[in-house]
Amino acid sequence: MIQYNWITLIFFRRSKVFWTIQMKIAVLSDIHGNIWALEAVLADIKKQGVDLIVNAGDILSGCLEPAATADVLISLNLPTIAGNHERQLLARCHHVTTADEQKNADQFAFDHTTSTHQTWLSLLPPTLEITTDIFMCHGTPSSDHTYFLEEVDEHGSRLASANRIAFFAEGIQHSLIICGHSHKPRTHALSNERLVVNPGSVGLQAYDDDHPYYHTIENGSPHARYAICEQNKNSWDIQHRCVTYAHEKAAATAKRNGSESWARWITTGRA
């Protein structure tokens, strides 16, 4: 059912421009149950004249409003993939950070969603070819738990080397490769005019993790992040957008649900 809806839209868009393939898509990722951020981003998207919205995973995990977030996204019927937190939530088998925040986030989301929500998550694919020009994965094409555009060592996280990124993109010939997972908005140019785009996180602007080494991710402000990708002939224009939202409500909910860390990350964008 999802496929018919958005493939029909793409076909109509192509026919309108006399078969010149042009797409303008909004890319969401890493919502993490932040319904306030999601609603603000969706309101901003309505102003942008996009043809399609896609979702790159890590959807519900968090100590916020996973059920309400699921209800909105199920009703929208977007092309959506699973992230590592979908897998962890469903298995209730968690990667534990030094502060146990990811374990707690997955467990909270599991406990506060219904079997309907969990069945929806279980049916999401790990990767998706949206069109012949657009490929979407959460981490890398082969791993939902590996950063595509960042690398981590004992010194922390940083932009990955061009060779590392090219290795992960090997065999993916789509002109636009969408990823998520790291929560860092980035655009990286590959050979053959291909781009790898991480839209950043809709719902969580900082965190810490100890995989594969302890590191922090920080975006430095509470704004919800997403990306607009617009195709023009054989190239893509990328716009990384930052949207204000009622982050105080999200932070208060995190605190009420027992996570001071999430409240701080949401409020400050700092870990």
Side-chain angles (χ1 to χ4, degrees):
M1 185 174 181
I2 294 174
Q3 185 177 15
Y4 289 133
N5 289 347
W6 52 269
I7 289 297
T8 300
L9 174 61
I10 292 166
F11 178 83
F12 178 66
R13 172 71 169 178
R14 291 179 178 184
S15 65
K16 283 175 67 179
V17 294
F18 306 103
W19 300 101
T20 298
I21 302 173
Q22 292 182 322
M23 286 289 294
K24 185 176 183 180
I25 66 173
V27 183
L28 314 180
S29 192
D30 298 278
I31 299 165
H32 284 285
N34 191 334
I35 187 65
W36 303 273
L38 174 61
E39 288 176 341
V41 163
L42 291 174
D44 192 71
I45 288 171
K46 284 184 179 180
K47 305 172 187 176
Q48 307 306 317
V50 304
D51 302 302
L52 188 67
I53 307 171
V54 302
N55 179 358
D58 277 7
I59 303 164
L60 306 183
S61 178
C63 52
L64 300 175
E65 291 288 350
T69 301
D71 289 340
V72 168
L73 292 169
I74 290 170
S75 71
L76 291 175
N77 210 18
L78 309 177
T80 300
I81 59 172
N84 60 295
H85 280 287
E86 278 66 67
R87 173 174 51 80
Q88 292 165 195
L89 185 158
L90 292 170
R92 287 183 291 175
C93 177
H94 316 293
H95 169 68
V96 181
T97 69
T98 54
D100 286 354
E101 290 293 349
Q102 288 198 46
K103 176 181 178 181
N104 295 338
D106 293 333
Q107 191 65 55
F108 183 94
F110 183 89
D111 292 341
H112 290 83
T113 50
T114 68
S115 59
T116 298
H117 299 142
Q118 293 160 18
T119 297
W120 171 65
L121 294 181
S122 73
L123 296 174
L124 299 177
T127 64
L128 187 62
E129 182 183 70
I130 297 167
T131 72
T132 55
D133 293 318
I134 308 169
F135 177 86
M136 184 163 65
C137 58
H138 180 69
T140 69
S142 61
S143 170
D144 65 14
H145 206 212
T146 301
Y147 297 149
F148 206 136
L149 298 180
E150 288 75 33
E151 54 188 315
V152 178
D153 60 21
E154 61 272 21
H155 303 295
S157 67
R158 61 187 180 279
L159 177 65
S161 69
N163 287 341
R164 177 183 171 91
I165 297 169
F167 172 79
F168 289 140
E170 188 174 348
I172 308 296
Q173 296 305 315
H174 303 68
S175 58
L176 178 65
I177 303 171
I178 296 165
C179 66
H181 187 44
S182 74
H183 298 207
K184 292 292 291 185
R186 293 195 194 275
T187 298
H188 177 81
L190 294 161
S191 61
N192 301 325
E193 297 186 343
R194 295 174 297 156
L195 292 179
V196 183
V197 174
N198 187 325
S201 173
V202 170
L204 188 63
Q205 303 310 321
Y207 64 87
D208 62 14
D209 197 357
D210 64 2
H211 174 77
Y213 300 91
Y214 178 81
H215 63 283
T216 60
I217 295 290
E218 299 178 313
N219 287 327
S221 81
H223 295 74
R225 267 76 171 181
Y226 80 100
I228 298 286
C229 304
E230 184 169 11
Q231 191 173 29
N232 295 297
K233 296 184 179 180
N234 295 321
S235 63
W236 289 89
D237 294 332
I238 310 300
Q239 182 184 161
H240 289 280
R241 295 189 64 81
C242 299
V243 180
T244 59
Y245 75 99
H247 63 270
E248 301 91 347
K249 292 183 179 179
T253 300
K255 188 176 293 188
R256 186 169 62 249
N257 290 332
S259 181
E260 294 284 346
S261 295
W262 273 64
R264 182 179 71 255
W265 299 340
I266 288 167
T267 301
T268 66
R270 298 282 187 180

